Amino acid sequence: MKRTSWSSGLSVTADGVGVISHAGAIAPRLLADRVGLTDELSGAMARRRFIPVHDRGRVLIDVAVMLTDGGESISDIGVLRHQSEALGPVASAPTVWRTLDEVTAGKRKKIQVARARTRRHVWSLMPGGVPASKCAGRDLGSTIVLDVDATIVVTHSEKEHAAPTYKRTFGYHPIGVWCDNTEEFLAASLRPGNAGSNTAADHIEVLGQAIAQVPAAHRRDLLIRSDGAGASHDLIDWITEQNSVRGRRVEYSVGFSITAPIRRAIATCPEAAWGPALNPSGDIRDGAEVAELTGFLTPRMLAKWPDGMRVIVRRERPHPGAQLSMFEEIDGWRYQAFVTNTATGQLQFLEARHRAHARVEDRIRHAKDTGLGRLPSREFALNQAWLVTVMIAADLVAWTRMLAFTGDAAVLALCEPKALRYRFLHAAARLARSGRRRRVKIPETWPWAVAIVAVFSTIAAIPKPA
């Protein structure tokens, strides 16, 4: 039998009707309407005596849906325009440009308020409540975990405020905050490429915005995690001051540099003070140990930091070929330290809790797969507006995952953005009309057809906010 017999009689024409190529992308758009985000954004973008042909809130949602669907440039809005029979009128690329240009600093603040109001409603709908953050085989209960981190976005042209980065690339250095419980992208700030990694003012700004995004009922117990870039006096002092807010407890877990006082404390720390470290599953990790150095540091050194700060260090045998500092070469251990104000809890668990901050790297990678990796304009203000739509897109994915990927659709719950597009968002369908009703028909042979139908049924049943 010929290997190419499958293609016998096959031809391709461009005269198909009633066909939708990205049927799954309707779901996040429908979700935005059901939870009230579209209406909230419309109010935030409204201008007196200006009635646009395309509602600006709808345009922002469509851009976010386009990014969720894998779009990388503003012209990719044409994919949604192709589905006008199902979605209705969709703005053109020039209208999207104008909408982003209208997102001024004042509008961005209003959009933050709109997102916070919608988030409050979404969190009230979660079956079983807000998911608990997990680490080392345990969960943190009602604690809301905020992970802050910065990343490099490389540009290949002279965009406004793009600059050389500390990694010897060229572009921007945005900083953002993600909620580890829900994977939502709460807040972000677009910065020039030469912005400092440990600039306390930038950390404080985005963390303040992120806390405002958390519904008030859930701000009573917060944990802020950061790598060593957050180990500054100003940031630690600011977090400590948040505990003065009545009814609020804010803890931190921040990476700390191995300075001379830390090295002296390590040298004086007895072997009996070291205990086994844990891996992400909660089992003992071979070749890794944890100790608290707070009692081995001088009062003078600790006096510079807020009361209650604990210094914890981890040591681990390095992998073959790893480069060690001169201090580490003395005994062959690699050391990593962090500080926390958590007064109770097993030492090993606190260290494992801090290392779970590494999950933020996945959140950043997902954001770069959903618009953050390519900023569309030479103008800094337009790129800031684009970042707003990236956060909205990340929220729509997170909300769809938590509210709709249940029951028969649970098979989609663990999909990363690329897999989600392959299985769900890019599914083809046929649009059938019967009377005044339209039916989107997913091919019955599609492996995830049952899950897709379940997603739409769940979203359609979501009650609209009062």
Side-chain angles (χ1 to χ4, degrees), residues 5-19:
S5 59
W6 69 270
S7 59
S8 298
L10 180 68
S11 64
V12 179
T13 62
D15 54 0
V17 294
V19 179

Side-chain angles (χ1 to χ4, degrees), residues 52 63 94 101-102 128 131 136 148 157 161 165 181 228 297 414 421 432:
V63 175
D101 189 48
E102 294 171 14
V148 56
S157 61
H161 295 325
T165 72
N181 304 66
L297 294 168
L414 298 180
R421 292 164 192 152

Side-chain angles (χ1 to χ4, degrees), residues 438-460:
R438 295 169 296 165
R439 297 180 63 190
V440 176
K441 295 189 174 183
I442 306 295
E444 61 181 4
T445 57
W446 188 245
W448 302 278
V450 174
I452 293 174
V453 173
V455 170
F456 279 95
S457 298
T458 303
I459 291 176

Side-chain angles (χ1 to χ4, degrees), residues 169-440:
T169 56
F170 184 83
Y172 294 108
H173 192 188
I175 184 172
V177 180
W178 286 260
C179 178
D180 186 64
N181 304 66
T182 61
E183 301 185 18
E184 294 166 297
F185 195 174
L186 299 180
S189 175
L190 187 63
R191 307 184 299 167
N194 57 3
S197 297
N198 61 343
T199 305
D202 294 338
H203 281 77
I204 292 172
E205 178 186 2
V206 294
L207 282 170
Q209 294 174 8
I211 292 175
Q213 286 294 313
V214 177
H218 297 272
R219 295 179 199 163
R220 300 171 183 172
D221 188 3
L222 302 175
L223 171 65
I224 296 173
R225 292 191 302 209
S226 173
D227 57 17
S232 64
H233 289 275
D234 290 343
L235 178 60
I236 300 294
D237 290 342
W238 180 83
I239 297 175
T240 303
E241 290 172 0
Q242 301 307 302
N243 285 290
S244 62
V245 178
R246 185 177 180 181
R248 180 181 299 178
R249 183 183 67 178
V250 183
E251 297 180 350
Y252 58 82
S253 184
V254 177
F256 207 68
S257 300
I258 305 293
T259 58
I262 300 295
R263 288 193 291 269
R264 286 193 295 268
I266 291 174
T268 58
C269 182
E271 284 296 319
W274 294 92
L278 303 178
N279 60 27
S281 64
D283 299 323
I284 294 177
R285 181 177 178 86
D286 294 334
E289 297 177 335
V290 182
E292 182 171 357
L293 300 182
T294 311
F296 301 99
L297 294 168
T298 63
R300 181 179 179 183
M301 186 271 184
L302 293 175
K304 301 177 182 178
W305 297 91
D307 294 337
M309 189 185 80
R310 303 170 64 186
V311 182
I312 300 172
V313 67
R314 171 194 177 99
R315 69 180 184 182
E316 187 169 11
R317 292 300 181 185
H319 300 293
Q323 295 182 352
L324 302 179
S325 66
M326 293 179 62
F327 173 74
E328 292 171 331
E329 287 180 348
I330 296 175
D331 56 12
W333 292 96
R334 164 164 283 178
Y335 294 95
Q336 293 176 320
F338 71 98
V339 295
T340 181
N341 62 344
T342 303
T344 60
Q346 187 185 29
L347 193 64
Q348 285 81 1
F349 178 74
L350 295 180
E351 194 274 335
R353 185 188 70 172
H354 175 73
R355 290 179 67 83
H357 170 70
R359 288 196 288 257
V360 75
E361 298 296 338
D362 288 333
R363 317 286 189 251
I364 292 173
R365 178 167 53 84
H366 296 167
K368 287 187 174 181
D369 285 341
T370 317
L372 182 60
R374 295 187 64 178
L375 301 175
S377 177
R378 294 180 62 88
E379 298 181 22
F380 189 74
L382 282 172
N383 289 332
Q384 287 179 306
W386 180 266
L387 180 56
V388 170
T389 63
V390 170
M391 290 188 283
I392 295 172
D395 283 350
L396 290 179
V397 172
W399 295 347
T400 304
R401 194 186 309 277
M402 290 183 292
L403 299 180
F405 290 171
T406 58
D408 290 338
V411 66
L412 300 172
L414 298 180
C415 289
E416 294 196 352
K418 290 184 179 180
L420 193 63
R421 292 164 192 152
Y422 183 79
R423 300 180 181 184
F424 174 43
L425 297 176
H426 292 179
R430 185 166 66 89
L431 183 64
R433 297 178 181 273
S434 176
R436 295 184 178 181
R437 299 184 66 85
R438 295 169 296 165
R439 297 180 63 190
V440 176

